[in-house]
Amino acid sequence: MAQLTYDKAPAVAQAGMLAEQFSLRQVDSFLAEGDIIFGQPVVYGATAEQCKVAAATTDKFLGLALVEKNVEQDSSGVAKYADESMAAVLRYGRIWAIAGEAVLVGEPVFAGLGADIGKFYNDNGGDPATRLECKGKFVTAAAAAGDLVLIELVWA
């Protein structure tokens, strides 16, 4: 799909975008099981070389899908890793993400699941937990749901 317009003031960042180009980070590649949209939390797939979108609180958190600039948007305007393509996953470092609610600096990070996939929260969603724990913290605050926030992932 051809790009026909350009914003005069493009966004500072997007979900799944690497935050600091020269800071310490770990990016690993995995074979995607199903489509994975940039910025979504990913977990191990059927083998140690595969990854998939997180679906349950019992999944083993792997990292966040990193933006790949060579991937075209589909007809609905979504850029993603296609099924059986190589997906770059940020396992350690800073990445931009979408807040699911107002959050504060230093709070822990939990990934929304199901309809909330791709949104990040500061709690596990209650008892029983309905969100996947991510090994990290919020580096910037968000005033409301939908704001871009900076997350720092640490080793599990």
Side-chain angles (χ1 to χ4, degrees):
M1 179 153 105
Q3 181 173 354
L4 303 176
T5 62
Y6 295 90
D7 289 334
K8 287 185 178 181
V12 174
Q14 73 182 72
M17 188 172 151
L18 192 62
E20 297 171 347
Q21 194 66 24
F22 301 104
S23 65
L24 185 61
R25 65 184 179 277
Q26 176 71 38
V27 178
D28 291 326
S29 295
F30 297 87
L31 185 65
E33 283 183 23
D35 292 346
I36 302 173
I37 297 173
F38 301 149
Q40 287 186 331
V42 294
V43 298
Y44 285 103
T47 68
E49 294 82 26
Q50 295 175 303
C51 70
K52 61 184 179 180
V53 175
T57 58
T58 55
D59 287 341
K60 173 120 175 76
F61 178 73
L62 185 58
L64 298 182
L66 200 57
V67 166
E68 172 58 56
K69 295 180 181 172
N70 296 325
V71 174
E72 272 190 53
Q73 294 179 352
D74 62 16
S75 59
S76 63
V78 176
K80 61 188 173 191
Y81 293 109
D83 184 28
E84 298 187 356
S85 66
M86 290 305 291
V89 177
L90 184 72
R91 302 188 66 193
Y92 178 90
R94 292 185 172 188
I95 189 169
W96 290 99
I98 304 294
E101 62 188 356
V103 297
L104 299 174
V105 173
E107 291 182 324
V109 179
F110 294 84
L113 300 172
D116 287 334
I117 198 73
K119 297 177 186 170
F120 295 86
Y121 300 85
N122 60 4
D123 62 29
N124 68 0
D127 188 23
T130 58
R131 298 177 184 145
L132 178 67
E133 181 180 3
C134 304
K135 301 296 183 184
K137 65 181 179 181
F138 288 100
V139 178
T140 59
D147 288 353
L148 269 175
V149 289
L150 194 54
I151 291 175
E152 182 173 62
L153 298 177
V154 296
W155 291 113

